[in-house]
Amino acid sequence: MTNPKQQLQEKLEHCLCPPGDGVFTVNTAKERKDALRTKLYGQTDGVDEIWKQSLKTIDSSVHKAAILGIASDCGGGILRGANWGPLFLRSTLIEQHPHISAFDLGDVRVIPHLLHDKYLNEATISNCQKALYQNPNSDYYVSPLSITEDVCDGFYQQHPDKGIFGIGGDHSISYPLTKSYLKAKRDAGKRTAIIHFDAHTDLLVERLGIDLCFGSWCTHVLEYLPAPHHLIQFGIRSSGKDKSHWENTFGVKQHWAHEIREQGPAAIVAQVIAQLKADNVDELYVSFDIDALDEEFASATGTPEGNGMTPDEALEILAALRAEFPITGADMMEIAPFTDSSLVGQTSSETTLREGAKLSAFLIDAMNNS
């Protein structure tokens, strides 16, 4: 009978794949995948076995942060393409922030048209298990949200001193990432808060009949927080309802983009720190949708918005929070490198990736030193 650590090892080997391989393709981005393999492993052949062997060294890793890519875009919105975020962001991190490192778990094996197993019938699940695991009666999940939660649950059980830095993918992915994190911290007696950067509230109950998506994930993790106002949102500016509606309906706390501009990030984050201390919060999870930034800095995303935050404003807020509280989990979502809503070509992707990597490097460093 296998022990829990062996069970996790087997789950990781079956449900994940080497970094950058989470999108099932034939030739698309082969050169980019090979470039990432070379940067990570020094070679392009035999990477699968090298990656599997690396999974056995999690215990001995000096890094508290473990990267997990989830190349899912099924729960996404207006413009698609965030499934390429994990591959491109990893490469940008290595190139532009070589001093930042983390343990890399790899990518969730994503069947691109699936979202969560609860939306599938038994026949579909069996067919997908055959495709993913060569076993129509496998015990493993087949949809990215389901796989992510299962993997993260196992990871936190065996490695409570470490945290996962998730790279998406659309923002529906933050549902399993934060749910697993919040459950683990609750079981450990830790009081937590989610710091959420976004142009949108993501507080729908459902969208077009689907309850788990990019626009509703926040609603469905509130029950795992110590209190609803432990979800604190920055950068909101695109909403059909005003701030009072969201705060009164859900009990969350919001700081809209215009408030940050008018009052300054230092004044806003001082209010947040006072709130967190009054609530006796122990640790923070940061979920960052790149569209929290103004479209000048982040147009390679599914729903870019003007009048947003600058990268410096976001970093000032994050630095102030880091100085007071451990950041023990985080994610970077909705970077869509091939999406060009700005109509300026390749520079759109380069700018978005540069700013996303800068913020990601900060968060990974914060997690490693929490």
Side-chain angles (χ1 to χ4, degrees), residues 153-317:
D153 283 349
F155 180 88
Y156 284 121
Q157 287 168 9
Q158 298 304 315
H159 306 286
D161 59 329
K162 298 182 184 293
I164 290 175
F165 180 78
I167 306 177
D170 71 77
H171 219 153
S172 68
I173 293 303
S174 290
Y175 170 74
L177 288 170
T178 55
K179 182 179 176 182
S180 286
Y181 171 90
L182 294 172
K183 288 188 298 183
K185 296 302 180 181
R186 182 181 61 191
D187 291 346
K190 301 290 187 180
R191 290 178 63 82
T192 51
I194 294 177
I195 306 300
H196 174 211
F197 289 82
D198 207 317
H200 314 93
T201 67
D202 293 358
L203 284 168
L204 298 175
V205 176
E206 54 88 22
R207 184 174 188 269
L208 300 176
I210 302 298
D211 60 344
L212 299 178
C213 70
F214 72 112
S216 65
W217 71 272
C218 283
T219 310
H220 299 287
V221 297
L222 289 178
E223 64 180 288
Y224 300 99
L225 282 163
H229 64 272
H230 286 220
L231 173 65
I232 304 174
Q233 300 183 312
F234 292 95
I236 306 299
R237 59 194 183 278
S238 178
S239 171
K241 299 182 184 299
D242 61 16
K243 175 179 174 178
S244 63
H245 166 81
W246 300 112
E247 290 192 335
N248 293 336
T249 301
F250 293 98
V252 303
K253 183 63 180 173
Q254 296 181 337
H255 301 277
W256 285 42
H258 73 87
E259 296 175 306
I260 297 171
R261 285 195 304 273
E262 294 161 2
Q263 300 178 39
I268 293 291
V269 75
Q271 298 172 34
V272 173
I273 289 171
Q275 175 197 333
L276 293 170
K277 288 185 175 180
D279 289 335
N280 296 313
V281 166
D282 298 307
E283 301 179 18
L284 303 179
Y285 184 105
V286 176
S287 182
F288 205 109
D289 186 324
I290 199 66
D291 70 28
L293 302 182
D294 186 83
E295 59 187 357
E296 174 187 352
F297 306 101
S299 56
T301 186
T303 49
E305 304 282 356
N307 300 312
M309 300 177 65
T310 68
D312 287 346
E313 288 172 338
L315 283 169
E316 183 176 347
I317 290 170

Side-chain angles (χ1 to χ4, degrees), residues 142-163:
V142 298
S143 304
L145 268 63
S146 303
I147 294 172
T148 300
E149 184 175 345
D150 190 35
V151 165
C152 291
D153 283 349
F155 180 88
Y156 284 121
Q157 287 168 9
Q158 298 304 315
H159 306 286
D161 59 329
K162 298 182 184 293

Side-chain angles (χ1 to χ4, degrees), residues 18-19 40-41 51 54-55 65-69 90 102-107:
L40 290 172
Y41 303 110
W51 164 73
S54 75
L55 295 176
I67 293 174
L68 177 64
R90 275 193 182 92
F103 188 91
D104 204 321
L105 290 167
D107 284 358

